[in-house]
């Protein structure tokens, strides 16, 4: 079976971690985020995978290579301009058309049973099936409205008080199963979104868009805070408090815990680092304290305007520091 991994976004809420790479290419415990998605698809027999690219395309290609290391064969498709979630599908039409295919967002880690979702898709004879999860924490994910196992529409962000005495709202996981007939509803060569442009049109024409309410682990890493929190959770499950990339130098006299270090990071004697992300080539000098922050080299962002939705930061010596929540 074929699949498409959506990997073209800018990752503005992850900036400055995405200044020199796209969101799916950021490392999570020594593996690129998009690598988790490729391995997930491979476990369910999806060995022909299309990866769409736009922002920093070389970062994804460098992270995944030809796909063999993740058990798949990859096809890369670049978008000259961002085309949206369904525009990306149209842009890969030549590689996907003709059979059932799967689309997965490149910013998630999950163990949701894809076979069970496929059974729902086939049983309902749907043109598309969206994989959903109960949003038990009422996080800021748009509510998906359903009835009798089918999509009815999309709402706004959930308010916890509205669900105090009833079932939690449902949210979309970024995993969907599609029939090639979906291309009849995707405009050619223009920006479009599945949720606002394609599914409403298909449903108004009598098409069945099913929902599969799943169970399982699902992590979405779209902000700096979520990236740190989820990385530390995964580390704690290993009984660890620190992950470090290649060629890092941590002095025996440094105090460091609950942190994520990328490649070639130096932490000198007497430095204290806690609940921090240290990007490539960051140098933490002796006696310096970094806590609840993401840090990249100042040279990486010097003279550049932060993108919309990015967190604010400041220059500190050779580093650019973005404070996070306590």
């Amino acid at each position: 079976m074929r699949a498409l991994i959506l990997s073209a976004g800018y990752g503005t809420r992850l900036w400055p971690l995405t200044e020199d790479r796209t969101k799916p290419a950021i490392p999570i415990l020594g593996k690129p985020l998009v690598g988790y998605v490729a391995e997930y698809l491979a476990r369910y027999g999806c060995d022909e995978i299309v990866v769409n690219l736009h922002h920093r395309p070389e970062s994804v290609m460098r992270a995944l290579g030809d796909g063999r290391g993740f058990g798949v064969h990859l096809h890369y498709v670049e978008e000259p301009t961002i085309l949206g979630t369904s525009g990306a599908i149209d842009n890969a039409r030549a590689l996907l058309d003709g059979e059932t295919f799967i689309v997965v967002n490149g910013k998630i880690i999950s163990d949701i049973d894809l076979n069970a979702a496929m059974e729902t898709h086939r049983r309902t004879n749907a043109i598309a099936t969206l994989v959903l999860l109960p949003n038990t924490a009422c996080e800021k994910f748009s509510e998906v409205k359903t009835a009798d196992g089918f999509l009815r529409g999309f709402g706004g962000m959930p308010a916890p008080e509205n669900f105090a005495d009833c079932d939690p709202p449902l949210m979309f996981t970024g995993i969907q199963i599609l029939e090639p007939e979906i291309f009849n509803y995707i405009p050619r060569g223009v920006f479009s979104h599945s949720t606002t442009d394609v599914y409403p049109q298909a449903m108004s024409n009598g098409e069945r868009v099913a929902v599969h309410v799943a169970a399982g682990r699902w992590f979405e890493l779209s902000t700096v805070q979520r990236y740190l929190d989820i990385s530390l959770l995964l580390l704690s499950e290993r009984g660890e408090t620190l992950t470090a990339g290649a060629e890092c130098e941590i002095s025996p006299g440094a105090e460091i815990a609950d942190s994520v270090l990328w490649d070639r990071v130096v932490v000198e004697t007497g430095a204290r680092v806690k609940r921090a992300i240290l990007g490539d080539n960051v140098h933490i000098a002796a006696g310096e304290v970094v806590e609840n922050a993401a840090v990249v080299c100042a040279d990486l962002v010097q003279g550049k305007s932060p993108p919309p939705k990015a967190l604010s930061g400041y220059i500190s010596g050779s580093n650019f520091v973005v404070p996070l929540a306590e």
Side-chain angles (χ1 to χ4, degrees):
M1 182 175 288
R2 299 172 187 171
L4 169 66
I5 300 177
L6 299 174
S7 302
Y10 289 98
T12 55
R13 290 182 295 165
L14 272 165
W15 191 88
L17 302 180
T18 50
E19 175 58 42
D20 63 346
R21 69 197 74 200
T22 191
K23 177 167 45 183
I26 62 174
I28 306 291
L29 277 57
K31 186 188 304 182
L33 177 54
V34 70
Y36 287 88
V37 182
E39 290 177 339
Y40 172 69
L41 290 166
R43 288 197 295 272
Y44 291 96
C46 298
D47 53 0
E48 291 288 330
I49 295 179
V50 182
V51 182
N52 76 320
L53 305 171
H54 176 71
H55 174 63
R56 302 292 189 188
E58 75 288 345
S59 65
V60 174
M61 292 188 283
R62 185 169 57 247
L64 288 177
D66 62 8
R68 283 184 293 181
F70 301 94
V72 297
H73 179 249
L74 295 179
H75 307 269
Y76 293 107
V77 177
E78 291 199 44
E79 296 178 17
T81 60
I82 286 289
L83 293 171
T85 53
S86 53
I89 297 171
D90 169 65
N91 194 53
R93 181 183 297 232
L95 294 167
L96 298 172
D97 203 358
E99 63 180 58
T100 305
F101 61 96
I102 297 168
V103 178
V104 181
N105 200 308
K107 61 180 180 180
I108 65 172
I109 299 173
S110 180
D111 64 0
I112 287 172
D113 187 346
L114 202 50
N115 286 337
M118 187 62 70
E119 289 175 10
T120 296
H121 180 72
R122 290 169 176 154
R123 174 177 50 78
T124 55
N125 195 31
I127 193 173
T129 297
L130 278 63
V131 179
L132 311 180
L133 279 175
N135 186 359
T136 54
C138 281
E139 295 185 84
K140 292 184 178 181
F141 298 112
S142 298
E143 182 184 355
V144 181
K145 298 179 180 180
T146 70
D148 302 319
F150 291 93
L151 178 67
R152 290 294 176 262
F154 299 89
M157 301 301 176
E161 60 271 18
N162 295 338
F163 298 92
D165 299 315
C166 58
D167 292 336
L170 296 172
M171 63 183 184
F172 180 42
T173 64
I175 303 169
Q176 52 195 315
I177 304 166
L178 304 174
E179 292 300 319
E181 288 76 18
I182 199 67
F183 287 113
N184 296 334
Y185 301 96
I186 303 177
R188 300 301 309 267
V190 298
F191 183 96
S192 65
H193 272 315
S194 299
T195 56
T196 56
D197 302 307
V198 176
Y199 292 143
Q201 182 190 167
M203 291 188 296
S204 68
N205 199 44
E207 300 284 5
R208 299 158 69 88
V209 178
V211 296
H212 175 78
V213 181
R217 289 162 63 84
W218 180 84
F219 303 111
E220 191 261 12
L221 296 89
S222 60
T223 69
V224 179
Q225 188 69 61
R226 291 180 68 82
Y227 171 82
L228 177 59
D229 290 345
I230 291 166
S231 295
L232 295 183
L233 172 63
L234 296 175
L235 273 174
S236 69
E237 293 175 350
R238 296 181 176 184
E240 301 171 1
T241 64
L242 173 68
T243 179
E247 301 177 48
C248 289
E249 299 179 20
I250 303 173
S251 169
E255 184 181 331
I256 182 167
D258 299 328
S259 295
V260 176
L261 280 57
W262 289 9
D263 293 340
R264 298 175 300 280
V265 172
V266 176
V267 183
E268 293 186 355
T269 296
R272 291 197 296 121
V273 178
K274 186 175 182 181
R275 288 193 58 83
I277 306 160
L278 307 183
D280 289 348
N281 303 304
V282 163
H283 190 132
I284 306 300
E288 192 171 353
V289 177
V290 178
E291 189 167 355
N292 294 309
V295 184
V296 300
C297 288
D299 290 347
L300 186 66
V301 299
Q302 195 87 46
K304 298 176 182 177
S305 299
K309 301 182 181 180
L311 296 175
S312 299
Y314 59 89
I315 300 291
S316 176
S318 63
N319 295 326
F320 180 75
V321 181
V322 176
L324 302 177
E326 294 289 340

